[in-house]
Amino acid sequence: MPSLRVHGVCPHDCYDTCSLYVTASQDRIERIEADPAHPLTRGFLCYKVNRYGNRLYHPERLTRPLRRVGPKGSGEFVEVGWDEALREVALRLHEVIARDGGEAVLPYSFSGNMGVLAESSLDRRFFYAIGATHLDRTICTAAADAALSWVFGTAVGPDPETLPQARLVVVWGTNPVVTNVHEIPLLDEARRQGARIWTIDPLKTETAKRYGHHLPLRPQSDYALALGLAREIIHRGAVSRAFVDQYTWGVDAYAAVAEAWTRERVLQRTGLTGSDFESLVEDLVSRRPLLFRPGYGVQRQRDGAKTVWAIAGLSALLGAPLDEGGGFLLSNSGAFSLNWERLTRPDLQTKPVRHMNMVQLGTALQTASAPKIRALIVYNSNPAATAPDQRQVIQGLLRPDLLTIVHEQMMTDTARYADWVFPAAMSFETLDLYTSYWHRYLQLNVPACPPWGQSVSNTEFFRRLAAAMGLSHPALQASDRALIEDALDTPENRQAGVTWDALCERGAMKVGQGWGRRPFVDTPPPTADGRLNLSPLPIDPEPLGGRGPEESDDWILLSPARRETIKSTFGNVASIVREDAPELLMHPEDVKRLGLEEGAPVTVYNERGEARMKVRISEKPQPGVVVSYAVRWHRAAGDHNVNQLTSAELSDWGGGAIFYSARVKIRP
Ligand SMILES: Nc1nc2c(c(=O)[nH]1)N[C@H]1C(S)=C(S)[C@@H](COP(=O)(O)OP(=O)(O)OC[C@H]3O[C@@H](n4cnc5c(=O)[nH]c(N)nc54)[C@H](O)[C@@H]3O)O[C@H]1N2
Ligand SMILES: Nc1nc2c(c(=O)[nH]1)N[C@H]1C(S)=C(S)[C@@H](COP(=O)(O)OP(=O)(O)OC[C@H]3O[C@@H](n4cnc5c(=O)[nH]c(N)nc54)[C@H](O)[C@@H]3O)O[C@H]1N2
Ligand code: SF4
Ligand SMILES: [Mo]
């Protein structure tokens, strides 16, 4: 059989959304190569995807539908045919809906596959058509999104291809050496040309080590730091009137909030030294172009939305957007133009439905009433491992009267609790369209071969489920190509020639050209009056979280991204994740204080749960802070992971998750 080489896109939830070439022969993927011509992928991939063959054909890959035979969570299943499984599931769903209405069904999904079709197309049509409870997909970016939308009216930042022009980059709560490896060549290039790169992170991360100029602030004190810097800039008369007067409004109200953050108060709260603070201020007022590069790490805390608002305001006071290469880059999701209404068809829903916040899955499953959640359909996500307040999630999944259906590639921690498991295709076996939350290329993923075994794409799964339930609306049987054409159907795409044919020919197309090289200067933001809104968020400006460790005996537990996985994805691939048991990184002083040693087993606990880990002495965390990278599969650690300890409380605004506002105790 001749081999086929097609344009592919890395499907994982990662800033980089790499452009690939995928080669298959004999119905099997043989090779995945980085696109050397893509300006951001630049011919290399990350540690994980360089070893992708080990995931694609992993022995645990699901190939047939499964029906539970043992108790919930036991992992005892038997294989069944698709027809039988769909018939049974459709019957059960009809029973649930007939008894309690469509809202008794809860979808649960996130970005396991970032494809536009895989994430948000036929699935949404299906849930609208049955009138299911609406899931608010908040687990990753909601606090930031809310703040971005308040200030900028959209989630758009400078094109990362302009980054090498910057002469000062403030990397704030992101760790690109691990999470955004294709940003590293851009940062390196900027540095070669004389840029200084600061890293603001409580941990001495790989990024902080690479670039120096590290501000090891206390976790959750960023809000204080940003406002303290703003106050200092204002008092020095260093505000960019050229930017602020013409392109913003609300600066006086912003300044009034910042005024409370005196230098002493900021140093006390952040734990930084006066000289660190001073040298950052010196750089901020003198170096241009100036790029603020906050990441999602900075908003996984109680004060997440306020913090993003404060940093965005600081970038505006300094006039950062005025220079090409400068500005505020958190996300570029809003640079893509897609017709979401046509794609997801909210018109299929006949009456308004309730919303549920995915961060609170555990309580939703246990306490939602009128109606109770009776059926849960999980795809593109592994909440038993990744959702906070894990004990509550698992209690919910153990409910005997809950019908749980999971569409997955692997027998994950969540799939083990399912009543029915359906096998999902790998992205390289499906047709899909990819945006990015970092760069500005829209890309087409062409299937290199058919799905392995009896697995199917997310769209095909929901087409089959809709048909089995007798839902007759033709929108529920739309082909993948028709879905892509629906998604592309916008005036912006038509004007820019972004069409199905053009994408087939070119694989990747640059979008968002309308934003110019200097977003919000070359073109106005889509806010009510076309200027950036610096006025404070409509919430209490006092911070909620982030007490300093000296005020309490607890440790602050951070669980940021791990190099070897994307959250739980890749976690079962032994050749990729080498750590035998979950590790707890601890500062040498803390290890000594507790009388522990390298490799000692400890129990990390709080009022929500506990997790067993192995001590690893590390200078990365500061005293009082411990780290366990997110997230291990339960079986790597005795049926639980770090999310036993995280809280399902919501951020100050936007309903986001607060994974890094976790406090724990430790015992040998
Ligand atoms: N290898 C790998 N890559 C990934 C992922 C992965 O799991 N592994 N996950 C992907 C996903 S889903 C996402 S959303 C992105 C996230 O990627 P990032 O935006 O980099 O976010 P995080 O990994 O959550 O955290 C980044 C940094 O924030 C720091 N941090 C924690 N608390 C605070 C604080 O209070 N203040 C400040 N200033 N910093 C703080 C952490 O120490 C960490 O170094 O990465 C994606 N890329
Ligand atoms: N403690 C702690 N917890 C965290 C975080 C943290 O920083 N700390 N970060 C949070 C963040 S930022 C995020 S984004 C969430 C992510 O949480 P999840 O959404 O649960 O992400 P993953 O763990 O990557 O799981 C994705 C699942 O989708 C499956 N999958 C992949 N492709 C497909 C497909 O095409 N179809 C189907 N049906 N399934 C597919 C994969 O096999 C995988 O099991 O985790 C959050 N959890
Ligand atoms: S996980 Fe990220 S860096 Fe790795 S190949 Fe995929 S998009 Fe690129
Ligand atoms: Mo995420």
Side-chain angles (χ1 to χ4, degrees):
M1 204 189 210
S3 67
L4 178 68
R5 186 170 184 266
V6 296
H7 184 261
V9 186
C10 176
H12 292 294
D13 186 347
C14 171
Y15 287 100
D16 306 43
T17 327
C18 289
S19 174
L20 312 171
Y21 286 99
V22 182
T23 309
S25 63
Q26 309 275 344
D27 288 354
R28 213 183 138 100
I29 292 163
E30 306 262 274
R31 204 162 51 246
I32 295 170
E33 296 160 282
D35 179 351
H38 189 282
L40 294 151
T41 302
R42 295 187 180 203
F44 75 96
L45 302 175
C46 61
Y47 173 82
K48 314 169 283 298
V49 176
N50 278 329
R51 292 157 180 78
Y52 212 73
N54 298 331
R55 176 164 195 273
L56 276 173
Y57 302 109
H58 193 277
E60 285 171 339
R61 173 133 184 224
L62 300 169
T63 57
R64 286 163 183 277
L66 302 172
R67 177 165 58 85
R68 177 171 66 82
V69 287
K72 284 212 177 196
S74 65
E76 291 165 46
F77 294 93
V78 290
E79 291 185 351
V80 280
W82 266 97
D83 288 344
E84 184 195 339
L86 284 169
R87 208 168 39 241
E88 287 273 338
V89 162
L91 201 70
R92 293 285 315 274
L93 286 173
H94 273 306
E95 279 167 17
V96 165
I97 294 167
R99 192 177 128 188
D100 291 309
E103 285 176 312
V105 181
L106 179 70
Y108 191 98
S109 72
F110 204 62
S111 304
N113 175 346
M114 295 272 287
V116 169
L117 302 198
E119 249 193 345
S120 174
S121 65
L122 235 131
D123 53 324
R124 307 300 169 100
R125 292 183 180 190
F126 173 83
F127 291 113
Y128 282 130
I130 63 169
T133 290
H134 186 95
L135 184 76
D136 289 332
R137 291 172 170 84
T138 49
I139 203 152
C140 177
T141 66
D145 289 342
L148 292 177
S149 144
W150 177 265
V151 177
F152 300 98
T154 180
V156 171
D159 182 342
E161 288 176 71
T162 65
L163 192 156
Q165 291 166 257
R167 290 299 168 266
L168 175 61
V169 184
V170 183
V171 174
W172 199 324
T174 175
N175 184 16
V177 169
V178 166
T179 58
N180 189 189
V181 296
H182 293 83
E183 190 166 64
I184 299 306
L186 307 176
L187 287 166
D188 284 354
E189 204 171 312
R191 182 166 64 168
R192 268 197 305 278
Q193 294 175 33
R196 184 163 291 170
I197 296 160
W198 284 83
T199 304
I200 303 184
D201 197 304
L203 307 182
K204 193 190 277 177
T205 59
E206 297 78 356
T207 308
K209 282 187 206 142
R210 188 179 185 98
Y211 297 112
H213 305 285
H214 175 214
L215 279 193
L217 80 179
R218 276 197 197 114
Q220 293 124 57
S221 65
D222 309 81
Y223 178 68
L225 177 62
L227 291 177
L229 291 166
R231 182 180 182 275
E232 190 76 16
I233 305 296
I234 295 165
H235 283 232
R236 286 193 184 200
V239 170
S240 165
R241 300 301 345 169
F243 185 74
V244 168
D245 294 347
Q246 194 177 341
Y247 298 103
T248 74
W249 73 278
V251 69
D252 293 341
Y254 179 93
V257 174
E259 188 54 31
W261 291 95
T262 61
R263 202 185 140 99
E264 299 66 52
R265 193 176 169 209
V266 171
L267 297 185
Q268 194 254 334
R269 195 170 176 95
T270 57
L272 296 173
T273 64
S275 69
D276 274 348
F277 183 81
E278 203 56 43
S279 39
L280 177 56
V281 171
E282 283 306 324
D283 278 358
L284 290 176
V285 299
S286 61
R287 290 179 163 258
R288 294 292 181 281
L290 158 57
L291 178 69
F292 283 86
R293 174 65 183 94
Y296 290 110
V298 84
Q299 49 97 62
R300 300 194 211 289
Q301 51 162 307
R302 284 202 182 83
D303 294 304
K306 279 202 287 294
T307 299
V308 171
W309 165 79
I311 303 172
L314 175 63
S315 75
L317 290 188
L318 289 160
L322 283 172
D323 303 303
E324 199 172 307
F328 178 91
L329 172 56
L330 200 162
S331 170
N332 258 311
S333 308
F336 295 84
S337 166
L338 294 179
N339 191 334
W340 292 109
E341 299 258 311
R342 262 197 78 166
L343 180 61
T344 63
R345 299 293 301 268
D347 58 294
L348 296 172
Q349 186 180 284
T350 54
K351 62 178 192 336
V353 298
R354 68 177 167 188
H355 283 227
M356 276 189 189
N357 187 320
M358 72 189 296
V359 169
Q360 299 180 327
L361 176 67
T363 41
L365 290 179
Q366 293 186 83
T367 62
S369 59
K372 237 176 134 158
I373 303 294
R374 303 238 173 237
L376 173 71
I377 305 183
V378 182
Y379 55 104
N380 258 2
S381 188
N382 182 14
T386 56
D389 205 357
Q390 185 167 93
R391 277 199 181 165
Q392 299 304 319
V393 173
I394 289 173
Q395 282 304 314
L397 291 173
L398 282 170
R399 253 180 58 202
D401 62 330
L402 178 73
L403 169 66
T404 303
I405 299 159
V406 175
H407 182 227
E408 246 302 348
Q409 296 165 335
M410 303 284 172
M411 181 49 74
T412 58
D413 293 330
T414 308
R416 290 177 68 86
Y417 289 93
D419 298 292
W420 297 90
V421 182
F422 290 89
M426 288 283 168
S427 67
F428 302 128
E429 301 159 348
T430 71
L431 177 67
D432 216 324
L433 182 68
Y434 288 81
T435 62
S436 165
Y437 49 89
W438 177 60
H439 65 60
R440 302 267 195 89
Y441 291 85
L442 184 67
Q443 306 188 73
L444 194 67
N445 181 79
V446 178
C449 62
W452 185 245
Q454 295 181 8
S455 66
V456 299
S457 67
N458 293 7
T459 50
E460 180 60 16
F461 175 65
F462 284 100
R463 277 191 287 263
R464 290 187 184 183
L465 194 54
M469 289 184 69
L471 303 172
S472 60
H473 199 293
L476 300 175
Q477 293 302 323
S479 70
D480 289 347
R481 167 153 177 199
L483 290 167
I484 291 180
E485 289 187 312
D486 283 344
L488 291 175
D489 183 25
T490 70
E492 290 84 350
N493 288 333
R494 273 194 293 280
Q495 203 193 350
V498 178
T499 60
W500 164 260
D501 288 335
L503 277 166
C504 285
E505 199 188 308
R506 297 169 52 188
M509 291 182 81
K510 191 145 192 188
V511 301
Q513 309 280 20
W515 284 103
R517 306 277 285 180
R518 301 179 305 165
F520 316 123
V521 171
D522 297 335
T523 39
T527 51
D529 76 342
R531 291 181 293 166
L532 301 189
N533 175 15
L534 305 190
S535 65
L537 302 178
I539 52 174
D540 183 355
E542 274 304 299
L544 302 164
R547 287 173 308 133
E550 79 288 352
E551 295 167 39
S552 144
D553 290 340
D554 296 355
W555 271 264
I556 295 176
L557 167 71
L558 301 181
S559 51
R562 167 192 301 275
R563 172 171 166 263
E564 298 81 10
T565 66
I566 298 275
K567 297 305 168 290
S568 72
T569 305
F570 297 96
N572 60 329
V573 186
S575 56
I576 296 185
V577 181
R578 298 262 167 80
E579 180 189 278
D580 55 352
E583 291 175 345
L584 186 73
L585 274 57
M586 262 182 127
H587 190 273
E589 278 176 28
D590 285 345
V591 174
K592 213 165 116 196
R593 182 151 65 88
L594 288 190
L596 297 168
E597 54 191 34
E598 175 81 4
V602 286
T603 301
V604 187
Y605 65 102
N606 61 19
E607 67 281 13
R608 286 178 289 276
E610 60 177 55
R612 281 175 294 288
M613 298 184 190
K614 206 171 75 178
V615 168
R616 178 141 161 246
I617 301 175
S618 165
E619 302 269 359
K620 266 186 201 162
Q622 50 191 274
V625 176
V626 288
V627 179
S628 171
Y629 290 109
V631 298
R632 296 300 310 268
W633 282 42
H634 292 183
R635 66 168 183 234
D639 277 336
H640 57 253
N641 71 18
V642 68
N643 279 320
Q644 286 267 324
L645 306 162
T646 53
S647 162
E649 226 180 279
L650 303 180
S651 60
D652 52 350
W653 206 52
I658 60 160
F659 287 105
Y660 304 162
S661 289
R663 289 187 158 269
V664 296
K665 298 186 191 302
I666 298 166
R667 64 167 183 260

